Amino acid sequence: MTTTLEKTFSPPRKPRVAVTPALRKKGRQARALVLPALIFSIVITQIPFLVTIYFSLLNWNQLRPSEIKFAWFDNYKVVFTGPDFLPSLISTVIITGSSVVLSLLLGLFFAILLDRKFFGQGLARTLMITPFLVMPAAAALIWKWSLLDVNVGMINFALKLFGVPAVAWNTDFPVLTIIMMLTWQYTPFMMLILLAGLQSQSREVLEAASVDGAGPWRTFQFMTLPHLRQYIEIATLLGSIMLLQAFDPIAIMTKGTGGSKTLSYLLYERAFIGLDVGQAAAFGVVTVVVTIAVASIALRTLFKVFIDGGER
Amino acid sequence: MRKTRGTLITTLTWFLVALFFFPIGWMVFTSLKSEGDAASIPPKFLATLNFDQYAIVFDRGMGSYLMNSFTASIGSTLLVLLLAIPAAYALSIRPIKSVKDVLFFFISTRFLPAAASILPVFFILKALGALDNITALGLLYAAMNLPIAVWMMRSFYNEVPMEIVEAAQVDGASLRVELTRVVLPILLPGIAAVALICFIFSWNEYFLATLLTTFQARTTPPFLASFVDGRGQFLAVLSAASTLAVLPVIIAGWVAQKQLVRGLAMGAVK
């Protein structure tokens, strides 16, 4: 039924040809093929992180660059006893979590709507994916100044038509503003993946179900949803990876005010607005540890879906 | 009865799609107005349209920022392809022993918040005199996109029929011939998908660009914010700059929708 999925998710392939010395040589060559990518990735992503760990053990204020000395774990004490880390962690969970859930639900809704044959289906789909393509910085600026502005914003104009007074979205509801913006950008992403899932369903099986007297809701519940499960998992995982690191709308729209200071914004603020390098690095290290801890659960699922073939 | 219901659902679908597309349509519309019309309350749905704002945008030097964006995006995409095509080959067609470890390593680097290692990157680039340098930015983008590219490429390789590869091996083809003559031609659509995704992510990147460049190597995303200033009206000119900034990616995405879907799902869907 889903040959493509099974093929892409299949475990590493084993060559069926007998192993000859020539093949063994090719095995060595194969290892040489992966090395450049590995080394490049290690040099650019891992070495800076090791340096971050080193920085986190220093007492280093940029105002007094001559007084750098070892502070051991003092900076970590600040992270865990200070007032910044926990609220930021909570903000990250709230903003990422609600954006993922909302865009997934909306994406599913749109996928179902666009799966039907109707007038202008192709155009509707094309228009619908556009928000995901828009540069986040541009989207944030347009939303902030052109749509959500108290005076000239189009959304406030529309609200006024219904008798609702103007709302200062960016300052009064920063968290909601960010979630709204991210949901708008990521609904198309979720929709695309779920739509691909819907379209890979076998029409005959669905028709057979309908001939057998299954109503549309029962067909959806017992056939479509189980079929979509893998697609939902992929969409959720990849969406979460991207949304977790969302930075642009926060930097542009709210600057981390009113509970919208996610970990990635907190790290930025510590590193480039605060002057304490050691402390900023400690915040970074703790964030990475927390992220990896959460991500390892996600990674395990990712591997189950992509590499081990997944359970059906 | 059934037909009216169908029409109703179609109307609802189109209404919701229009709602989702509205911010983009409104941005383009605003970019063609004068500043006065753009900021009028109630909003003007009819106005004289012209390209004046675009002239202003280019006067403020947007051309060179767009060029920087192209350089960083295309350069980093080429580098990613150069690294990912062979690497993924060794993870699929001729799997090395530690396939899983390597894949795990790559994807875990994608989970690292860029903000966590930005300080060392900043200091290292500063020491090398490579701040505000488009090559340095391109290299960072390549590292940022490499994990996704490797995963995507691997899933495309997995779809190459093994019989073809085996036939080439029996014929005694060298690894190079096997890769360039036998496998790559089948892979071209997949490579296009990888390239498109890498280009999009690099083009839209804001965080590194805003922190590591100032003027010479400034790319489009951080430049856009400079249109927001306290003096007077800026909605129309901001919309014009934003429209120009999002255009390349939107056109590429529209043209290559199919590749886009496969790419975004890391090759998991067709």
Side-chain angles (χ1 to χ4, degrees):
Chain A
M1 200 161 75
T2 53
T3 47
T4 327
L5 268 181
E6 275 154 20
K7 236 184 244 167
T8 20
F9 293 147
S10 63
R13 294 193 285 188
K14 303 216 167 34
R16 282 174 297 184
V17 183
V19 180
T20 61
L23 273 185
R24 216 168 282 137
K25 183 180 156 221
K26 280 185 185 169
R28 278 199 305 277
Q29 286 174 328
R31 242 164 299 156
L33 290 178
V34 82
L35 273 183
L38 263 183
I39 293 170
F40 181 76
S41 197
I42 290 171
V43 169
I44 298 200
T45 65
Q46 305 304 294
I47 291 179
F49 183 61
L50 289 180
V51 180
T52 303
I53 298 178
Y54 171 68
F55 281 180
S56 75
L57 303 173
L58 297 178
N59 186 348
W60 176 359
N61 191 306
Q62 292 199 53
L63 288 179
R64 293 183 296 278
S66 56
E67 295 172 27
I68 301 175
K69 51 178 184 277
F70 249 98
W72 294 109
F73 294 103
D74 287 1
N75 292 320
Y76 289 93
K77 241 178 261 164
V78 176
V79 173
F80 287 115
T81 56
D84 293 327
F85 187 73
L86 197 63
S88 224
L89 184 66
I90 295 171
S91 296
T92 310
V93 172
I94 292 175
I95 289 179
T96 311
S98 6
S99 313
V100 169
V101 171
L102 283 175
S103 53
L104 189 70
L105 289 176
L106 271 173
L108 180 62
F109 184 60
F110 272 106
I112 293 169
L113 284 181
L114 292 188
D115 190 35
R116 284 173 65 242
K117 285 259 171 299
F118 66 93
F119 178 71
Q121 189 188 18
L123 179 65
R125 185 181 123 135
T126 304
L127 293 181
M128 199 45 217
I129 63 171
T130 317
F132 183 72
L133 298 172
V134 170
M135 177 185 292
L141 286 166
I142 293 295
W143 272 81
K144 178 171 184 175
W145 299 106
S146 190
L147 298 173
L148 296 174
D149 189 80
V150 195
N151 300 314
V152 297
M154 277 306 282
I155 290 185
N156 281 323
F157 169 73
L159 288 179
K160 264 180 236 158
L161 294 181
F162 294 100
V164 182
V167 179
W169 293 93
N170 292 294
T171 44
D172 290 351
F173 301 100
V175 175
L176 195 65
T177 303
I178 298 292
I179 293 175
M180 204 156 73
M181 161 80 205
L182 290 174
T183 304
W184 177 71
Q185 284 225 288
Y186 279 84
T187 297
F189 170 77
M190 303 290 191
M191 182 205 76
L192 272 180
I193 293 181
L194 298 177
L195 189 58
L198 285 178
Q199 288 173 344
S200 71
Q201 270 190 121
S202 141
R203 297 277 156 193
E204 289 103 61
V205 176
L206 289 182
E207 272 160 29
S210 131
V211 170
D212 287 348
W217 171 243
R218 285 179 67 84
T219 315
F220 180 77
Q221 195 182 354
F222 291 108
M223 308 198 61
T224 307
L225 264 189
H227 171 78
L228 276 186
R229 209 191 103 186
Q230 278 192 334
Y231 292 88
I232 293 175
E233 279 176 6
I234 299 167
T236 311
L237 276 167
L238 300 179
S240 312
I241 295 182
M242 290 187 278
L243 280 163
L244 198 60
Q245 303 186 10
F247 171 83
D248 319 6
I250 297 162
I252 290 172
M253 298 172 89
T254 69
K255 302 222 181 297
T257 53
S260 67
K261 193 179 289 175
T262 58
L263 285 171
S264 53
Y265 193 79
L266 176 74
L267 292 184
Y268 154 77
E269 205 182 66
R270 286 279 151 171
F272 288 90
I273 299 174
L275 294 161
D276 196 317
V277 175
Q279 249 182 53
F283 271 102
V285 173
V286 174
T287 303
V288 167
V289 171
V290 173
T291 315
I292 290 289
V294 178
S296 64
I297 303 166
L299 282 176
R300 213 166 296 152
T301 321
L302 200 69
F303 265 76
K304 213 169 74 192
V305 177
F306 276 85
I307 313 270
D308 298 338
E311 294 166 341
R312 306 216 77 237
Chain B
M1 177 63 201
R2 214 185 148 137
K3 205 168 169 202
T4 27
R5 222 184 90 197
T7 320
L8 216 68
I9 298 179
T10 303
T11 316
L12 173 78
T13 308
W14 266 109
F15 173 73
L16 291 175
V17 170
L19 209 62
F20 250 76
F21 188 74
F22 176 78
I24 300 157
W26 189 250
M27 169 182 79
V28 177
F29 185 51
T30 308
S31 77
L32 299 169
K33 293 179 183 173
S34 67
E35 288 295 357
D37 285 346
S40 80
I41 324 160
K44 283 201 175 163
F45 292 96
L46 289 170
T48 22
L49 304 182
N50 55 57
F51 287 93
D52 291 358
Q53 304 305 330
Y54 289 86
I56 298 176
V57 165
F58 278 108
D59 276 352
R60 289 216 215 160
M62 182 143 184
S64 65
Y65 298 100
L66 287 171
M67 269 318 289
N68 281 339
S69 279
F70 271 113
T71 313
S73 309
I74 293 175
S76 70
T77 301
L78 289 178
L79 180 59
V80 165
L81 290 181
L82 205 67
L83 291 169
I85 291 175
Y89 181 86
L91 299 173
S92 167
I93 303 269
R94 197 190 300 284
I96 52 171
K97 277 200 193 108
S98 38
V99 169
K100 276 197 174 187
D101 297 335
V102 174
L103 283 172
F104 182 83
F105 167 74
F106 276 122
I107 202 66
S108 66
T109 68
R110 197 68 180 80
F111 273 98
L112 285 182
S117 25
I118 188 69
L119 268 176
V121 168
F122 185 84
F123 285 120
I124 292 168
L125 290 182
K126 197 171 163 191
L128 295 172
L131 279 176
D132 202 15
N133 179 315
I134 202 69
T135 312
L137 193 65
L139 286 175
L140 288 170
Y141 286 173
M144 165 181 95
N145 288 328
L146 188 59
I148 314 170
V150 168
W151 274 64
M152 277 169 63
M153 277 314 301
R154 178 181 174 274
S155 76
F156 291 124
Y157 276 121
N158 277 356
E159 279 177 28
V160 175
M162 206 57 190
E163 293 76 29
I164 298 181
V165 182
E166 280 166 5
Q169 285 171 359
V170 171
D171 288 349
S174 72
L175 186 74
R176 199 169 56 85
V177 172
E178 189 182 307
L179 178 61
T180 54
R181 297 268 179 78
V182 183
V183 180
L184 274 192
I186 310 177
L187 272 184
L188 281 178
I191 295 176
V194 179
L196 177 69
I197 301 292
C198 292
F199 178 83
I200 293 180
F201 282 146
S202 304
W203 181 269
N204 287 349
E205 206 281 334
Y206 173 78
F207 180 73
L208 296 171
T210 199
L211 294 174
L212 302 177
T213 67
T214 43
F215 179 70
Q216 277 299 316
R218 199 75 158 168
T219 55
T220 318
F223 169 66
L224 287 182
S226 71
F227 284 99
V228 177
D229 46 27
R231 304 161 284 149
Q233 298 166 324
F234 55 81
L235 268 188
V237 74
L238 173 67
S239 299
S242 301
T243 305
L244 281 174
V246 302
L247 213 57
V249 161
I250 288 187
I251 291 174
W254 280 358
V255 172
Q257 276 185 47
K258 240 190 184 153
Q259 271 75 9
L260 187 73
V261 184
R262 297 214 55 189
L264 287 176
M266 302 210 299
V269 299
K270 200 164 203 171

